[in-house]
Amino acid sequence: MTETMTNAWEGFKGAAWRENTDVGQFILDNYTEYTGDESFLAEATEATQKLNKTFEDLLAYEVEHGVVDMEEKIVSTVLAYPASYIDKDLEKIVGLQTDKPLKQGLNPFGGVRMAKQALEAYGYSLDPEVEMQFTEWIQTHNQGVFDVYDADIRAARSNKIITGLPDAYGRGRIIGDYRRVALYGTDFLKKEKFNDWNAMEREMYTEEEMQTREEISKQYRALEEIAQLGDMYGFDLRQPAKTAQEAIQWTYLAFLAGAKQTNGAATSLGRMDAFFDIYIERDLQAGLITEQEAQELIDHFVMKLRMIRFARTPDFNEVFSGMPTWVTLSIAGMNNDGRSLVNKTSFRALHTLYTMGESPEPNLTIFYNEKLPRAYREYCAKVSIDTSAIQYENDEVMANVMHSTDAAIACCVSPSVMGKEHQYFGARFSGPKALLYAVSGGVDEKTRKTVIKGLEPIKGDYLEYDELMEKLDKVMDWTTKVYVRALNIIHRQHDRYAYESTQMALLDSHPHRYFATGIAGLALVGDMLSAVKYSKVRIVRDEDGFPVDYVVEGEQFPTFGNNDDRVDTLVTDFLHDYMERLRKLPTYRNAEITTSILTITSNIVYGKALGNVFTGSNPEVVGYREPWTPIAPGANPQYNSVKSGALAALSSVAKIPFEDARDGSSYTFAIHPKALGRDDVDRKANLATMLDGYFKKGGHHLNVNVLNREKLIDILQHPEENPHAVLRVSGYALYLNKATQDQINDILQRVIHNQF
């Protein structure tokens, strides 16, 4: 251990984390639990107010024009741009993604066609030399993928039984443990990587061993690039941080390096509150900073996270409305010794929504447990009521599976252990469309193209449950195999042509890998199966005999979202069957297969591609869904299916087993303020109690929007008067003034509960 490291770690407890990289153990040895309320929090400094005004002006310009600026020539790499600032004299945490605030970088490694389309959509042009290089000389990830795709994958993709595959943009969902740079410095981390590389010496190498050795070499060089990025800003990242300001600065520059290199669909940050708080508490005790200066550090850090941008195409925005970056910041949770992980910086992070106004980024995520201090749970409830800008994940459910207190969320709802695990992101498939293919013989109801060859259609006038399930078995067998085959191709080619060496450098050299898949329309699947099983569904055919509509002639069938086990079991059985099929299939690098019940906003895209379903064409029937309209997002019940109040809806969603949805189940929930109580005190207490109950039943995730429909309509009609209005939409929050018209229409259809 060097003298510099000894000095940087002065006053810190514990020994194990000093010898080998283990930030989680460092936190457990040194954090200070806080059980008090928010009364200690300080207001924004003058510097924060001035910087935030500059950011707000840029944001207003971006909303009006689509972008502030875009790079046409310089390819984004860690060291592509010189040190850049908003206002150097005011900033306590510095560093920009490009050379100007909110300017979008150029990253053609994922696909030069997408980079070009993104530029042209806003009136910019890709430099001809760059286009030539990435067309003729440099193989992109997108080209590599389509060189291997087969006809079945292309058909599934274009007919939207699978949507959102990361085959034209960065795959995301890799959370580098950026804290490692602050705690250890890059020299220490490089030494560990060198030792890992040496330890792999063999007489002969397998393909996997050769790939791993090559990747560790890339990671080693990436750590040096992170150090050089620090040099540009006048910081020595080769050595550990010595103060709170340095710890936050070092961490941010490590994260920024990753954001410069990739354009992933989810650039999550990880778990920071307790780590930062250890340094802040040490500096506060030493009299080096005040509480207001501590808040200022967190404010300026969060302000930079709000500025992360990636150039995207209009097609991307159809799937992921509002161009989110999912800079997800995980907060709180429980320690395994019975103490909570709540600390003062857990409060400071949420307080940024007041010091700088509401914002969808970073995606503030509470690891929730009824054992968290009551004062913190009620403060979270207050923030949800005031801003609709935070989400909640079930800490206990995740801890029981992951066996770690140092987990974080990648993207929206997908947990992994910091530095030890990462995910291969995998989009989602349409469960309702699979059911329609079972009837049509694999012919798409919108394009009328044959997607699954050799599948005989159902020929009778009425749907019989057993016959439907027999046909569905063949559809699911085809779909799961095509899905995994596509993802194997995508991730093999991404590692080859667009490897995220900076992010991967801040993981263990041999991480556990997850292979993420997803389901869209799970609740609608339940309603459709329920209609066939518990009612009588007649098929309406066109002149060619093709099924175009379904009429429910029997009794009202149970629908998901009303705490009725008859249909809720159909939902969980379908999920379990899907996962059992996936678990039998080989995955790239033997990654552990998982799934999420998460749509982001692709519920709109899926709905546009989905015609009439088995729940019928009578608007008076509970469960009715108009064709070619959005399906419910994530794990949400269908909009016309919930008739028994908020608690029944919460109870249905809570039944989705985390073991089969290891990648997370997203539930976006809205409730009228009056349903929570007559005043703010009652509302805080009642919302906290509601959260306690939902998570105790096993629910995994909850977005909370507290609003009335009249207020929502007013905000949507007058966005210029509500520039900071934020709504949680499906695992992330959205500036309402950035919502597309399709998104607005969908939001207005969603259920706002008026009663428990």
Side-chain angles (χ1 to χ4, degrees):
M1 188 186 305
T2 66
E3 183 178 352
T4 301
M5 299 181 88
T6 301
N7 292 337
W9 295 342
E10 184 178 355
F12 292 153
K13 302 172 185 176
W17 60 265
R18 298 173 190 263
E19 303 301 324
N20 298 292
T21 303
D22 193 342
V23 182
Q25 188 59 51
F26 166 77
I27 290 171
L28 295 182
D29 289 342
N30 290 281
Y31 86 98
T32 302
E33 182 188 20
Y34 179 67
T35 59
D37 63 18
E38 69 270 28
S39 58
F40 74 93
L41 291 168
E43 295 306 308
T45 64
E46 183 179 355
T48 298
Q49 293 174 27
K50 288 181 178 179
L51 289 168
N52 196 46
K53 177 61 167 61
T54 300
F55 171 62
E56 288 177 345
D57 291 344
L58 288 167
L59 191 62
Y61 182 92
E62 183 181 59
V63 169
E64 183 178 354
H65 298 277
V67 297
V68 170
D69 197 0
M70 299 184 79
E71 180 58 61
E72 298 172 304
K73 185 173 183 178
I74 299 173
V75 174
S76 183
T77 62
V78 175
L79 304 175
Y81 291 98
S84 304
Y85 306 87
I86 308 170
D87 186 328
K88 187 177 180 180
D89 293 336
L90 296 178
E91 294 171 84
K92 297 299 186 293
I93 304 299
V94 300
L96 296 178
Q97 214 172 344
T98 57
D99 57 347
K100 298 177 184 177
L102 300 195
K103 180 179 179 180
Q104 297 179 6
L106 172 61
N107 190 327
F109 292 100
V112 69
R113 180 174 58 87
M114 179 176 176
K116 184 178 181 180
Q117 289 176 349
L119 284 163
E120 291 176 348
Y122 299 102
Y124 294 82
S125 300
L126 179 63
D127 180 78
E129 185 175 346
V130 173
E131 183 176 5
M132 182 270 294
Q133 290 172 345
F134 281 85
T135 302
E136 298 184 16
W137 297 351
I138 300 173
Q139 175 84 319
T140 66
H141 165 235
N142 178 249
Q143 185 61 55
V145 166
F146 277 86
D147 282 348
V148 184
Y149 269 178
D150 55 45
D152 283 348
I153 295 173
R154 290 171 184 260
R157 186 180 187 274
S158 62
N159 288 279
K160 294 183 171 55
I161 191 167
I162 300 174
T163 289
L165 290 169
D167 51 18
Y169 56 88
R171 56 190 169 187
R173 288 206 184 181
I174 300 169
I175 312 177
D177 191 353
Y178 308 106
R179 307 167 304 180
R180 292 182 174 187
V181 174
L183 183 57
Y184 296 103
T186 58
D187 279 354
F188 182 95
L189 301 177
K190 284 172 64 178
K191 183 179 179 180
E192 283 203 332
K193 290 295 179 184
F194 184 74
N195 291 339
D196 290 344
W197 186 82
N198 269 338
M200 289 188 66
E201 288 189 358
R202 307 279 192 274
E203 184 174 339
M204 297 294 290
Y205 295 106
T206 65
E207 177 70 24
E208 172 65 23
E209 287 169 339
M210 286 188 284
Q211 181 174 347
T212 301
R213 281 176 63 82
E214 180 184 19
E215 288 174 353
I216 293 173
S217 294
K218 292 178 180 178
Q219 294 167 21
Y220 183 91
R221 292 193 294 273
L223 289 167
E224 180 54 35
E225 287 192 332
I226 292 174
Q228 291 177 28
L229 180 63
D231 293 341
M232 288 182 179
Y233 285 94
F235 304 122
D236 186 5
L237 272 58
R238 295 172 182 83
Q239 303 300 323
K242 300 181 292 296
T243 65
Q245 183 173 3
E246 287 189 354
I248 297 171
Q249 181 69 72
W250 272 221
T251 301
Y252 171 65
L253 286 176
F255 172 78
L256 185 65
K260 285 171 173 281
Q261 185 186 56
T262 184
N263 67 340
T267 312
S268 297
L269 180 63
R271 180 179 283 273
M272 299 290 157
D273 55 328
F275 179 73
F276 288 164
D277 197 72
I278 292 167
Y279 287 87
I280 290 172
E281 281 296 309
R282 188 175 67 169
D283 284 5
L284 285 169
Q285 294 298 320
L288 298 178
I289 59 174
T290 64
E291 177 55 42
Q292 190 172 45
E293 289 169 328
Q295 184 66 50
E296 183 178 60
L297 292 175
I298 300 301
D299 285 346
H300 290 202
F301 173 68
V302 166
M303 190 186 303
K304 291 301 192 306
L305 300 180
R306 293 181 179 187
M307 291 185 172
I308 298 297
R309 294 291 185 275
F310 298 110
R312 302 298 194 196
T313 64
D315 287 346
F316 184 97
N317 195 31
E318 282 190 16
V319 180
F320 308 113
S321 294
M323 304 292 195
T325 51
W326 296 286
V327 182
T328 302
L329 180 60
S330 302
I331 304 169
M334 291 296 295
N335 193 349
N336 52 18
D337 64 1
R339 292 181 299 157
S340 78
L341 287 164
V342 173
N343 54 82
K344 286 189 173 181
T345 300
S346 305
F347 281 87
R348 294 180 185 114
L350 297 186
H351 191 47
T352 61
L353 295 167
Y354 298 101
T355 57
M356 298 185 296
E358 296 178 55
S359 175
E361 302 285 356
N363 189 14
L364 296 169
T365 302
I366 309 302
F367 275 44
Y368 194 89
N369 193 306
E370 64 177 340
K371 298 175 184 176
L372 297 181
R374 182 75 187 185
Y376 187 67
R377 282 153 50 221
E378 291 201 359
Y379 184 66
C380 290
K382 167 182 165 55
V383 175
S384 285
I385 292 167
D386 290 346
T387 71
S388 293
I390 62 176
Q391 65 177 355
Y392 301 88
E393 313 262 348
N394 191 328
D395 177 68
E396 187 169 0
V397 163
M398 293 185 291
N400 288 341
V401 173
M402 301 173 69
H403 308 294
S404 175
T405 61
D406 198 33
I409 297 299
C411 186
C412 305
V413 297
S414 308
S416 59
V417 177
M418 292 285 289
K420 309 294 182 184
E421 302 176 336
H422 80 84
Q423 296 185 35
Y424 292 133
F425 170 55
R428 55 208 61 87
F429 101 104
S430 174
K433 189 174 279 284
L435 282 168
L436 294 186
Y437 280 14
V439 180
S440 68
V443 178
D444 190 82
E445 73 276 16
K446 186 169 188 177
T447 67
R448 297 294 178 94
K449 293 180 180 179
T450 300
V451 179
I452 304 175
K453 299 179 178 65
L455 179 65
E456 287 294 316
I458 290 176
K459 297 178 181 177
D461 292 331
Y462 288 88
L463 290 176
E464 300 293 338
Y465 189 79
D466 290 343
E467 182 184 19
L468 175 66
M469 297 306 288
E470 181 182 344
K471 296 290 186 182
L472 180 63
D473 177 72
K474 296 176 182 179
V475 174
M476 295 296 288
D477 183 64
W478 182 91
T479 303
T480 52
K481 288 176 181 176
V482 169
Y483 194 0
V484 171
R485 194 160 71 242
L487 292 176
N488 283 335
I489 292 167
I490 287 168
H491 293 298
R492 187 259 192 186
Q493 301 301 73
H494 207 293
D495 277 346
R496 176 169 287 192
Y497 300 115
Y499 184 66
E500 307 94 334
S501 59
T502 305
Q503 292 173 315
M504 299 299 288
L506 297 171
L507 297 174
D508 290 355
S509 297
H510 305 280
H512 181 77
R513 301 179 177 94
Y514 293 109
F515 194 92
T517 64
I519 300 177
L522 182 61
L524 183 54
V525 167
D527 289 357
M528 291 171 70
L529 291 174
S530 178
V532 177
K533 187 169 185 177
Y534 297 108
S535 190
K536 191 173 183 179
V537 179
R538 177 168 57 86
I539 304 172
V540 178
R541 301 180 188 275
D542 64 13
E543 61 274 12
D544 298 320
F546 189 83
V548 293
D549 200 358
Y550 300 88
V551 177
V552 179
E553 295 181 348
E555 297 179 0
Q556 174 61 52
F557 52 90
T559 53
F560 184 72
N562 297 289
N563 196 22
D564 189 320
D565 281 338
R566 290 177 297 169
V567 61
D568 296 351
T569 300
L570 293 175
V571 167
T572 56
D573 285 350
F574 180 87
L575 169 62
H576 184 71
D577 175 74
Y578 167 74
M579 279 304 301
E580 286 300 293
R581 293 171 189 272
L582 290 176
R583 289 175 178 132
K584 296 174 183 177
L585 300 175
T587 59
Y588 176 61
R589 302 184 89 168
N590 296 313
E592 179 184 350
I593 203 147
T594 60
T595 204
S596 64
I597 317 304
L598 171 71
T599 59
I600 317 296
T601 49
S602 62
N603 67 302
I604 297 172
V605 174
Y606 275 114
K608 284 183 176 181
L610 190 68
N612 284 305
V613 296
F614 307 161
T615 53
S617 53
N618 183 357
E620 301 302 317
V621 174
V622 176
Y624 164 75
R625 171 193 164 271
E626 187 176 346
W628 321 117
T629 62
I631 58 176
N636 279 51
Q638 278 298 120
Y639 306 148
N640 194 41
S641 294
V642 179
K643 299 299 177 183
S644 302
L647 292 182
L650 289 163
S651 295
S652 281
V653 177
K655 294 174 187 176
I656 297 173
F658 186 70
E659 293 78 9
D660 282 335
R662 169 69 177 72
D663 212 34
S665 298
S666 173
Y667 184 19
T668 301
F669 178 86
I671 191 165
H672 196 288
K674 290 183 180 179
L676 289 174
R678 292 175 296 179
D679 55 38
D680 289 342
V681 174
D682 285 346
R683 288 168 188 165
K684 282 194 306 180
N686 290 334
L687 180 53
T689 299
M690 188 192 79
L691 290 166
D692 291 348
Y694 173 67
F695 289 123
K696 193 170 185 178
K697 287 183 176 181
H700 174 241
H701 165 271
L702 198 66
N703 280 327
V704 177
N705 294 305
V706 181
L707 73 171
N708 60 62
R709 194 170 300 280
E710 294 74 22
K711 178 182 177 182
L712 177 61
I713 292 172
D714 180 67
I715 292 171
L716 292 170
Q717 289 178 343
H718 304 285
E720 71 286 350
E721 297 176 11
N722 302 276
H724 291 291
V726 165
L727 190 77
R728 297 212 63 91
V729 287
S730 180
Y732 74 102
L734 171 72
Y735 272 131
L736 286 176
N737 58 15
K738 286 191 173 184
T740 64
Q741 188 58 53
D742 285 337
Q743 183 69 52
I744 290 171
N745 294 339
D746 179 44
I747 289 168
L748 290 174
Q749 293 298 314
R750 295 187 180 187
V751 175
I752 298 178
H753 291 281
N754 293 310
Q755 61 178 2
F756 279 110

